[in-house]
Amino acid sequence: MTNTQVTLVQLDNYGPWTVTPEPRREVDLQTLQSRLYADLSQLVGNRDGYVFFTRFDNMVAVTNGLDMEDHARLQESVRNRYPVTVSLGIGHGETPAGALVEATDRLQSAGSAQDAERREVLAGHPLDEDERTDDDVQIAHFDVNDATGEYTDELDAYSAFVHVEQAYASLMRHMHDTHDSLSFFVGGDNIIAVCPSLDRDAYAEAIDYVREDTGVDLKVGVGRGPAAHDAGMAAKHALEVCREEGLDIAGDAV
Amino acid sequence: MTNTQVTLVQLDNYGPWTVTPEPRREVDLQTLQSRLYADLSQLVGNRDGYVFFTRFDNMVAVTNGLDMEDHARLQESVRNRYPVTVSLGIGHGETPAGALVEATDRLQSAGSAQDAERREVLAGHPLDEDERTDDDVQIAHFDVNDATGEYTDELDAYSAFVHVEQAYASLMRHMHDTHDSLSFFVGGDNIIAVCPSLDRDAYAEAIDYVREDTGVDLKVGVGRGPAAHDAGMAAKHALEVCREEGLDIAGDAV
Amino acid sequence: MTNTQVTLVQLDNYGPWTVTPEPRREVDLQTLQSRLYADLSQLVGNRDGYVFFTRFDNMVAVTNGLDMEDHARLQESVRNRYPVTVSLGIGHGETPAGALVEATDRLQSAGSAQDAERREVLAGHPLDEDERTDDDVQIAHFDVNDATGEYTDELDAYSAFVHVEQAYASLMRHMHDTHDSLSFFVGGDNIIAVCPSLDRDAYAEAIDYVREDTGVDLKVGVGRGPAAHDAGMAAKHALEVCREEGLDIAGDAV
Amino acid sequence: MTNTQVTLVQLDNYGPWTVTPEPRREVDLQTLQSRLYADLSQLVGNRDGYVFFTRFDNMVAVTNGLDMEDHARLQESVRNRYPVTVSLGIGHGETPAGALVEATDRLQSAGSAQDAERREVLAGHPLDEDERTDDDVQIAHFDVNDATGEYTDELDAYSAFVHVEQAYASLMRHMHDTHDSLSFFVGGDNIIAVCPSLDRDAYAEAIDYVREDTGVDLKVGVGRGPAAHDAGMAAKHALEVCREEGLDIAGDAV
């Protein structure tokens, strides 16, 4: 059984800020958003967590191993270096989707994302150290079979992108609705899904679903560990096994 | 009639690099990708262009106003500061989709994205200064009606994200297949589409399509200009008009 | 005769900000300062100018080729992405030192560096395009003879640093007081000086001065050009000539 | 008695890289160096250490609390995101100067800073957890009395800088030669010194020395703690006491 700790990172009152007093230059917003994401990746990653950019103004992080002080420091670091602040909601539970529901509840109880008075909320409770186990996190790393040969080198760049994006939209919805998992596009043809304890059949079924829905063939490596980094690195190695041995699914965890 | 100049930015042999000699730490890859994107945004944005992160290893830029020397400097700046290099293909034409086909052709002719020998290709030709006009670029800035009230403050963060993502996947495919446009999610509930000379009916039809396909209500501001920044800023102002006046579509250009 | 355009970049009311409401974490201040400097380097460098970090809260830039709009955009980009703002004073003249006196005057007339009401001043006037010539900027690139063999590989890291720093403190004061030049440590054992039209004798005399004052042997490459980048790159090539041919001074300009 | 752990961060074969195959654009080098420094600040700072930019190609860090694995991860993170690599030498001892001698020895034994074969050395040994105490690190935070009123608002920007720089060059040499301390300019008019157990008299004597040598008046706050952050934050608070009460020296530690 997994016990995923999830943190919702929400920029405070960001939408209004982007158009006040008038719309801000798009390239500056893109730079701000992607650098803030990069910084959070390093801050959380330094403690073996993962952050996903999601919608940029709402980012989802897997934070097993980060305590309240780590979260507070992250808020402080953003406040000290950016023109925006972040609120954090923390949840945990047997499924990543459930943990994020809890994390979201914590923030929503404190006020609207566009409430000018709601700033730097830090709500929810991380896992106690003694609740943690060595297999709290399960991560599945999907990619597209022969993406370079089938798409990147064959189609124009946008048509290739459309295929990847349709596959992602299909997989993310399916894994959420059917398997209580949170899936994130991480660049190239890669999708990382944070999952509960799913078995091989669940992954096979998801790959079939996406193939039928979009025509795109995926494969997946699955890993397990006490935190996102460990589980994610095991998943990457499992995906390498898929590549080398021509498998659709690999990983010790399944 | 528009005349969009599009540059395809492709990281050279990036996929293999990410797993050689063994898979690299995901947070470092995320940091590398998002910072490289931020830097390109600044470099291109400094000359009034736009870059979209797309798949991160393949980024699409609107580069009206950037000449060969500007492109070469961009390659030099990446080479001097990153462990990876980029190839650039340049195209232009009456539709953004057509321009990207041309840009992609230029790179594909030079070799595979995963050809270890193909590095720092700079192919294609920018528009001559005397070919440029004041309305070469049309940009449409979409967002979701009352995204905060309907989704962010109501649903859990991932369910809200699923809705935004489904709307994006629907719009991007439709605008590409039907209107030769390139649409990019830029964070929050915002999608920026680079379009040929589309009229009000085309945008109304696209909004209807997405509503029927996904249940998500969009609105759009449209702008026109000699380069991405001018067109994009006009589109942002038009979107503000939509917000203030409760319109679905606004903009001088349509 | 040179005609250097110099911009003083001053963070608005920065000192008080760093300790309000209580002292901010030093690593965040260091990160903020060095990233802001890096961003300004890219923004200005993209138009062939140079920025020197100087005191970080007061940075000096050589901005031949940048007009008022470029300066305003730079302020906008900082405002959009940082928790601090910058004021800019522009000056030009036959000597870099004189140009900076003018640039400083412009800012000081507008208020104190720690005046909470003085924000985002943009004062002074850039060179008109038709005042510019191909040799407006002279740059001298100094380094320490055999710094690695004599210091880095021989002494402990701090003792090596003390030698480089003493040489720098001596050279920067001497070049300013005697030659109206602005010299900046740029890392390693490198010092870049922005100079008026100095001849070989002036450089020989400066090298002698530093040797007698501190015991450190310098060499120098000198370049000339319409903007900082051109002059600086010529100076770098001249310094390579020094290395290859065992010279103390090289460069077409002298 | 202090027990400072010091890490020397040395870029591998950096000098030759900056001019191969020909001199690289200065703004890119400045951007690379300052961003690498910012990243190391965050990585080390996240574990309560400090990094000083020093010569940028040789940086000095106070790393009490960081073990070998933390150091190795830092090397990995640089390798994954930069075109350069770093070697690390670790030392510790009763004085910071002595600790850095040891750290430097470790690296020098492994090869020259410009040896193309010497890459990513990780040498020396961090303090064991059970060797650490609550007052292993003493930090003194100096600044210039009324720097804004006396210099920044009065003199031109370079003349003000010359004064700060002369004071720094004087203090850094004196504190090293007389008090086995490592002093670093950190921006504005601030100098942070990493010291052994110095008492009030030592600081009073140093302030006198710099006043006589350069005419610049300094004050200092002193702090003590188990790691650089704790000691440095205590020093900042002590410096605030100096400001509020008009003192030259403050701090619990002295």
Side-chain angles (χ1 to χ4, degrees), chain D residues 47 58 88:
Chain D
R47 304 224 182 277
N58 283 268
L88 303 176

Side-chain angles (χ1 to χ4, degrees), chain A residues 8 10 18-19 22-31 33-35 37-39 41-42 44-46 48-51 53-58 60 97 100-101 104 108 111-114 118 141 147-148 151-162 164-166 168-170 172-173 176-177 181-189 192 229 233 236-237 240 243, chain B residues 8 10 18-19 22-31 33-35 37-39 41-42 44-46 48-51 53-58 60 97 100-101 104 108 111-114 118 141 147-148 151-162 164-166 168-170 172-173 176-177 181-189 192 229 233 236-237 240 243:
Chain A
L8 172 59
Q10 195 169 78
T18 64
V19 292
E22 52 182 336
R24 294 175 194 259
R25 199 173 274 264
E26 188 63 31
V27 294
D28 286 344
L29 298 179
Q30 293 301 309
T31 305
Q33 291 172 6
S34 50
R35 289 212 181 140
Y37 167 61
D39 273 356
S41 278
Q42 287 293 307
V44 170
N46 208 7
D48 287 340
Y50 271 11
V51 187
F53 58 77
T54 324
R55 292 166 60 193
F56 287 103
D57 59 352
N58 284 269
V60 175
L100 183 55
V101 167
T104 309
Q108 287 170 344
S112 165
Q114 296 196 356
R118 198 212 71 180
H141 196 130
T148 301
Y151 300 104
T152 310
D153 288 349
E154 275 305 304
L155 304 178
D156 74 276
Y158 201 83
S159 297
F161 177 45
V162 169
V164 171
E165 187 64 30
Q166 302 302 312
Y168 172 51
S170 176
M172 62 107 68
R173 194 186 59 233
H176 185 248
D177 294 353
S181 300
L182 308 176
S183 308
F184 303 93
F185 176 64
V186 292
D189 59 327
I192 291 180
H229 166 69
M233 193 53 87
K236 283 167 177 270
H237 281 287
E240 290 299 290
R243 280 182 192 133
Chain B
L8 172 59
Q10 194 170 79
T18 64
V19 293
E22 53 180 335
R24 294 176 194 259
R25 199 173 274 261
E26 188 64 32
V27 294
D28 286 342
L29 298 179
Q30 293 300 308
T31 305
Q33 291 172 5
S34 49
R35 289 210 180 140
Y37 167 61
D39 273 356
S41 278
Q42 286 294 307
V44 170
N46 208 8
D48 287 341
Y50 271 11
V51 186
F53 59 77
T54 325
R55 291 165 60 191
F56 287 102
D57 59 352
N58 284 268
V60 175
L100 184 55
V101 167
T104 309
Q108 286 170 344
S112 165
Q114 296 196 355
R118 198 211 72 180
H141 195 131
T148 302
Y151 300 104
T152 311
D153 288 350
E154 275 305 303
L155 304 178
D156 75 277
Y158 201 84
S159 297
F161 177 45
V162 169
V164 171
E165 187 65 29
Q166 302 302 312
Y168 171 51
S170 177
M172 61 105 67
R173 193 187 58 232
H176 185 248
D177 294 353
S181 300
L182 308 176
S183 309
F184 302 94
F185 176 65
V186 292
D189 59 327
I192 292 180
H229 166 68
M233 192 54 86
K236 283 168 176 271
H237 281 287
E240 290 299 290
R243 277 179 194 136

Side-chain angles (χ1 to χ4, degrees), chain B:
Chain B
M1 207 171 70
T2 59
N3 196 6
T4 315
Q5 177 178 309
V6 171
T7 302
L8 172 59
V9 181
Q10 194 170 79
L11 272 63
D12 295 316
N13 203 23
Y14 179 64
W17 181 84
T18 64
V19 293
T20 304
E22 53 180 335
R24 294 176 194 259
R25 199 173 274 261
E26 188 64 32
V27 294
D28 286 342
L29 298 179
Q30 293 300 308
T31 305
L32 170 69
Q33 291 172 5
S34 49
R35 289 210 180 140
L36 180 52
Y37 167 61
D39 273 356
L40 294 176
S41 278
Q42 286 294 307
L43 285 166
V44 170
N46 208 8
R47 305 227 182 274
D48 287 341
Y50 271 11
V51 186
F52 300 100
F53 59 77
T54 325
R55 291 165 60 191
F56 287 102
D57 59 352
N58 284 268
M59 291 179 266
V60 175
V62 179
T63 55
N64 294 62
L66 279 80
D67 61 18
M68 285 306 264
E69 192 188 332
D70 295 328
H71 281 81
R73 184 178 296 194
L74 194 151
Q75 288 185 308
E76 180 187 350
S77 189
V78 172
R79 178 201 321 141
N80 280 344
R81 300 188 288 114
Y82 286 91
V84 294
T85 55
V86 295
S87 286
L88 302 176
I90 308 168
H92 48 82
E94 288 181 30
T95 74
L100 184 55
V101 167
E102 185 187 318
T104 309
D105 275 348
R106 303 286 187 173
L107 282 196
Q108 286 170 344
S109 306
S112 165
Q114 296 196 355
D115 177 346
E117 304 302 308
R118 198 211 72 180
R119 298 191 86 79
E120 298 198 315
V121 175
L122 176 51
H125 299 288
L127 288 163
D128 286 336
E129 264 308 304
D130 58 15
E131 292 178 274
R132 299 183 59 203
T133 73
D134 277 352
D135 53 3
D136 281 345
V137 180
Q138 181 165 321
I139 280 184
H141 195 131
F142 292 87
D143 77 0
V144 175
N145 286 335
D146 193 21
T148 302
E150 289 270 328
Y151 300 104
T152 311
D153 288 350
E154 275 305 303
L155 304 178
D156 75 277
Y158 201 84
S159 297
F161 177 45
V162 169
H163 279 89
V164 171
E165 187 65 29
Q166 302 302 312
Y168 171 51
S170 177
L171 181 71
M172 61 105 67
R173 193 187 58 232
H174 179 77
M175 291 292 291
H176 185 248
D177 294 353
T178 309
H179 299 300
D180 288 330
S181 300
L182 308 176
S183 309
F184 302 94
F185 176 65
V186 292
D189 59 327
N190 297 269
I191 298 162
I192 292 180
V194 190
C195 305
S197 276
L198 300 182
D199 60 16
R200 173 177 297 269
D201 287 350
Y203 292 112
E205 179 267 335
I207 290 173
D208 286 344
Y209 178 89
V210 172
R211 185 187 300 116
E212 280 168 38
D213 191 33
T214 69
V216 177
D217 282 320
L218 301 175
K219 61 179 171 297
V220 66
V222 183
R224 195 82 177 244
H229 166 68
D230 315 277
M233 192 54 86
K236 283 168 176 271
H237 281 287
L239 191 62
E240 290 299 290
V241 173
C242 288
R243 277 179 194 136
E244 286 155 16
E245 305 188 6
L247 304 173
D248 277 350
I249 308 177
D252 292 339
V254 288

